Amino acid sequence: MKAEEIKKLSNEEIISKIKADKVELFNLRFQLANGQLEKPSRLKDLRREVARLKTELRERELNK
């Protein structure tokens, strides 16, 4: 998800997306530990996406 797309989301949508991404990240870590992970780059992508979402949320808090 790009920064432009994130800016269009509401705060509630961003929070729900963060929760969903964290659940997926948790599951991917288990797959990595068991040796079943097919796409290791997805871990990096998810971590960055969560960081982008949190950054946008924080910027909105500071701008209020």
Side-chain angles (χ1 to χ4, degrees):
M1 183 173 274
K2 298 194 176 200
E4 295 171 2
E5 297 170 351
I6 293 172
K7 290 184 187 292
K8 294 177 184 176
L9 298 176
S10 69
N11 287 349
E12 293 80 24
E13 291 172 328
I14 290 176
I15 291 169
S16 66
K17 183 78 172 130
I18 289 172
K19 288 179 183 177
D21 285 349
K22 283 193 171 197
V23 168
E24 185 179 351
L25 193 58
F26 181 76
N27 292 330
L28 287 176
R29 276 192 242 123
F30 269 107
Q31 289 179 8
L32 179 66
N34 291 331
Q36 298 174 348
L37 187 60
E38 294 178 12
K39 193 173 178 185
S41 63
R42 183 71 180 136
L43 286 167
K44 179 180 173 182
D45 295 340
L46 268 177
R47 282 196 306 263
R48 287 185 176 185
E49 186 171 328
V50 169
R52 282 188 194 106
L53 291 166
K54 284 184 172 184
T55 300
E56 178 62 29
L57 203 56
R58 181 66 178 148
E59 284 178 0
R60 289 180 185 187
E61 287 176 7
L62 293 175
N63 288 333
K64 282 188 177 183

